[in-house]
Each structure stands twice: as structure tokens, then as C-alpha cells.
Amino acid sequence: EIQAKYAGMIIVERKVTVGGTAVGAGAFGIGVVKGTPAEGPGKLVIYDVAGAKVGEAVAQWDAALAQPVPLQFTNGRLYVGRHYVEVK
């Protein structure tokens, strides 16, 4: 159940928006619910350390990403595989 729910953790030092969802400072778990088809938009779900859902955002598919890795942050985007959300 844990592996199905979480793709990783993020630590935030100040208030930011993740895909339009405002989160404060702290540690958060993240997971992706893939769309249908898998290459389409999905959902990035954000959880607090207790496992309660904090919010969710639409995660777009980036077919142009050269080498996807399980979790990366680049150019203001948080990627989970090829799915990404903007972080501001």
C-alpha cells in the first residue's frame, strides 16, 4: 500500500504552490495517479507526514523529456517520471 501511494517526499522551506495547490513549510509525501491513457494527464497528490491528503494537482505528461528518472526537480517543475507540476 505504501509503494502504491507514495512516489517520494519533498521538504519545503517556505510557502509555495505545487501545481496550484498552496503548501506551507514542512515535509510532504507525494504520489502520482496516472491518467488514462498513461501518457495523458494524471494527478499529483500531496500528503502530510501523517498520511492525510493536503491537496492534489493536475500532472501533465512531458513526452519531450530526454531521460525521465523516478523523481527530479528542474526548471521550476517537479517531475515524477514524465508527469510534472509547476512549483512557484
Side-chain angles (χ1 to χ4, degrees):
E1 178 183 327
I2 300 284
Q3 287 180 329
K5 185 175 181 179
Y6 295 101
M9 296 277 303
I10 58 172
I11 298 173
V12 181
E13 294 179 345
R14 60 182 174 87
K15 187 176 180 179
V16 297
T17 58
V18 179
T21 300
V23 295
F28 299 91
I30 56 171
V32 170
V33 177
K34 294 183 179 176
T36 304
E39 295 83 14
K43 282 192 305 191
L44 179 90
V45 186
I46 305 165
Y47 304 96
D48 64 14
V49 292
K53 186 164 102 173
V54 173
E56 61 184 47
V58 174
Q60 298 299 324
W61 179 264
D62 188 352
L65 186 63
Q67 289 188 313
V69 295
L71 186 63
Q72 69 178 327
F73 183 81
T74 183
N75 298 326
R77 291 180 173 179
L78 174 64
Y79 283 90
V80 181
R82 287 191 184 271
H83 285 94
Y84 73 89
V85 294
E86 300 282 339
V87 178
K88 298 178 183 178

